[in-house]
mmCIF file of all heavy atoms in Angstrom:
data_model
loop_
_atom_site.group_PDB
_atom_site.id
_atom_site.type_symbol
_atom_site.label_atom_id
_atom_site.label_comp_id
_atom_site.label_asym_id
_atom_site.label_seq_id
_atom_site.Cartn_x
_atom_site.Cartn_y
_atom_site.Cartn_z
ATOM 1 N N GLU A 363 3.312 6.070 5.690
ATOM 2 C CA GLU A 363 3.391 5.752 7.110
ATOM 3 C C GLU A 363 4.030 4.285 7.309
ATOM 4 O O GLU A 363 4.500 4.016 8.402
ATOM 5 C CB GLU A 363 2.085 5.855 7.770
ATOM 6 C CG GLU A 363 1.666 7.316 7.771
ATOM 7 C CD GLU A 363 0.582 7.645 8.852
ATOM 8 O OE1 GLU A 363 0.542 6.948 9.911
ATOM 9 O OE2 GLU A 363 -0.184 8.474 8.607
ATOM 10 N N ILE A 364 4.025 3.466 6.270
ATOM 11 C CA ILE A 364 4.554 2.171 6.472
ATOM 12 C C ILE A 364 5.939 1.941 5.882
ATOM 13 O O ILE A 364 6.648 0.935 6.101
ATOM 14 C CB ILE A 364 3.657 1.030 5.878
ATOM 15 C CG1 ILE A 364 3.569 1.064 4.395
ATOM 16 C CG2 ILE A 364 2.265 1.138 6.569
ATOM 17 C CD1 ILE A 364 2.811 -0.187 3.761
ATOM 18 N N LYS A 365 6.369 2.829 5.066
ATOM 19 C CA LYS A 365 7.626 2.718 4.336
ATOM 20 C C LYS A 365 8.854 2.428 5.180
ATOM 21 O O LYS A 365 9.058 3.145 6.223
ATOM 22 C CB LYS A 365 7.896 4.055 3.565
ATOM 23 C CG LYS A 365 8.728 3.985 2.299
ATOM 24 C CD LYS A 365 7.903 3.573 1.122
ATOM 25 C CE LYS A 365 8.689 2.866 0.072
ATOM 26 N NZ LYS A 365 9.428 1.643 0.352
ATOM 27 N N ARG A 366 9.589 1.341 4.904
ATOM 28 C CA ARG A 366 10.722 1.058 5.663
ATOM 29 C C ARG A 366 11.910 0.705 4.679
ATOM 30 O O ARG A 366 11.560 0.050 3.630
ATOM 31 C CB ARG A 366 10.576 -0.214 6.546
ATOM 32 C CG ARG A 366 9.712 0.075 7.717
ATOM 33 C CD ARG A 366 9.642 -1.187 8.658
ATOM 34 N NE ARG A 366 8.531 -0.935 9.556
ATOM 35 C CZ ARG A 366 8.160 -1.886 10.420
ATOM 36 N NH1 ARG A 366 8.762 -3.055 10.436
ATOM 37 N NH2 ARG A 366 7.172 -1.634 11.311
ATOM 38 N N PRO A 367 13.111 1.056 4.931
ATOM 39 C CA PRO A 367 14.235 0.726 4.010
ATOM 40 C C PRO A 367 14.294 -0.773 3.757
ATOM 41 O O PRO A 367 14.138 -1.582 4.706
ATOM 42 C CB PRO A 367 15.464 1.207 4.817
ATOM 43 C CG PRO A 367 15.056 2.049 5.904
ATOM 44 C CD PRO A 367 13.585 1.701 6.203
ATOM 45 N N GLY A 368 14.497 -1.160 2.518
ATOM 46 C CA GLY A 368 14.645 -2.592 2.165
ATOM 47 C C GLY A 368 13.337 -3.332 2.083
ATOM 48 O O GLY A 368 13.373 -4.552 1.800
ATOM 49 N N ILE A 369 12.196 -2.708 2.344
ATOM 50 C CA ILE A 369 10.974 -3.463 2.184
ATOM 51 C C ILE A 369 10.060 -2.810 1.082
ATOM 52 O O ILE A 369 9.369 -1.786 1.347
ATOM 53 C CB ILE A 369 10.140 -3.522 3.546
ATOM 54 C CG1 ILE A 369 11.052 -4.155 4.598
ATOM 55 C CG2 ILE A 369 8.836 -4.322 3.309
ATOM 56 C CD1 ILE A 369 10.292 -4.553 5.919
ATOM 57 N N PRO A 370 10.118 -3.288 -0.087
ATOM 58 C CA PRO A 370 9.387 -2.681 -1.191
ATOM 59 C C PRO A 370 7.834 -2.679 -1.011
ATOM 60 O O PRO A 370 7.360 -3.676 -0.460
ATOM 61 C CB PRO A 370 9.775 -3.440 -2.479
ATOM 62 C CG PRO A 370 10.654 -4.473 -2.058
ATOM 63 C CD PRO A 370 10.842 -4.455 -0.571
ATOM 64 N N VAL A 371 7.171 -1.678 -1.436
ATOM 65 C CA VAL A 371 5.687 -1.661 -1.381
ATOM 66 C C VAL A 371 5.233 -1.637 -2.851
ATOM 67 O O VAL A 371 5.681 -0.926 -3.729
ATOM 68 C CB VAL A 371 5.173 -0.430 -0.666
ATOM 69 C CG1 VAL A 371 3.666 -0.363 -0.754
ATOM 70 C CG2 VAL A 371 5.658 -0.445 0.818
ATOM 71 N N ILE A 372 4.234 -2.524 -3.066
ATOM 72 C CA ILE A 372 3.647 -2.689 -4.474
ATOM 73 C C ILE A 372 2.217 -2.230 -4.408
ATOM 74 O O ILE A 372 1.482 -2.652 -3.477
ATOM 75 C CB ILE A 372 3.695 -4.181 -4.913
ATOM 76 C CG1 ILE A 372 5.036 -4.826 -4.785
ATOM 77 C CG2 ILE A 372 3.098 -4.351 -6.317
ATOM 78 C CD1 ILE A 372 5.011 -6.379 -4.719
ATOM 79 N N TYR A 373 1.841 -1.306 -5.235
ATOM 80 C CA TYR A 373 0.358 -0.907 -5.276
ATOM 81 C C TYR A 373 -0.237 -1.387 -6.565
ATOM 82 O O TYR A 373 0.367 -1.160 -7.661
ATOM 83 C CB TYR A 373 0.305 0.602 -5.153
ATOM 84 C CG TYR A 373 -1.148 1.134 -5.283
ATOM 85 C CD1 TYR A 373 -2.165 0.557 -4.579
ATOM 86 C CD2 TYR A 373 -1.459 2.254 -6.122
ATOM 87 C CE1 TYR A 373 -3.515 1.029 -4.651
ATOM 88 C CE2 TYR A 373 -2.751 2.703 -6.261
ATOM 89 C CZ TYR A 373 -3.764 2.137 -5.532
ATOM 90 O OH TYR A 373 -5.062 2.568 -5.620
ATOM 91 N N PHE A 374 -1.338 -2.088 -6.485
ATOM 92 C CA PHE A 374 -1.977 -2.664 -7.668
ATOM 93 C C PHE A 374 -3.378 -2.073 -7.852
ATOM 94 O O PHE A 374 -4.344 -2.629 -7.147
ATOM 95 C CB PHE A 374 -2.000 -4.174 -7.579
ATOM 96 C CG PHE A 374 -2.728 -4.857 -8.654
ATOM 97 C CD1 PHE A 374 -2.559 -4.550 -9.967
ATOM 98 C CD2 PHE A 374 -3.638 -5.862 -8.430
ATOM 99 C CE1 PHE A 374 -3.207 -5.187 -11.031
ATOM 100 C CE2 PHE A 374 -4.369 -6.536 -9.443
ATOM 101 C CZ PHE A 374 -4.168 -6.194 -10.812
ATOM 102 N N PRO A 375 -3.551 -0.999 -8.580
ATOM 103 C CA PRO A 375 -4.858 -0.399 -8.793
ATOM 104 C C PRO A 375 -5.555 -0.961 -10.006
ATOM 105 O O PRO A 375 -5.459 -0.430 -11.064
ATOM 106 C CB PRO A 375 -4.591 1.086 -8.948
ATOM 107 C CG PRO A 375 -3.194 1.088 -9.619
ATOM 108 C CD PRO A 375 -2.464 -0.173 -9.238
ATOM 109 N N LYS A 376 -6.201 -2.157 -9.882
ATOM 110 C CA LYS A 376 -6.694 -2.806 -10.972
ATOM 111 C C LYS A 376 -7.836 -2.025 -11.709
ATOM 112 O O LYS A 376 -8.653 -1.465 -11.011
ATOM 113 C CB LYS A 376 -7.293 -4.174 -10.611
ATOM 114 C CG LYS A 376 -7.804 -4.889 -11.822
ATOM 115 C CD LYS A 376 -8.096 -6.300 -11.658
ATOM 116 C CE LYS A 376 -8.477 -6.809 -13.072
ATOM 117 N NZ LYS A 376 -9.833 -6.244 -13.334
ATOM 118 N N GLY A 377 -7.637 -1.882 -13.001
ATOM 119 C CA GLY A 377 -8.631 -1.122 -13.753
ATOM 120 C C GLY A 377 -8.296 0.384 -13.772
ATOM 121 O O GLY A 377 -9.062 1.167 -14.311
#
Side-chain angles (χ1 to χ4, degrees):
E363 295 200 30
I364 68 171
K365 205 84 205 61
R366 288 184 192 176
I369 305 191
V371 176
I372 309 162
Y373 176 48
F374 176 47
K376 179 162 184 291

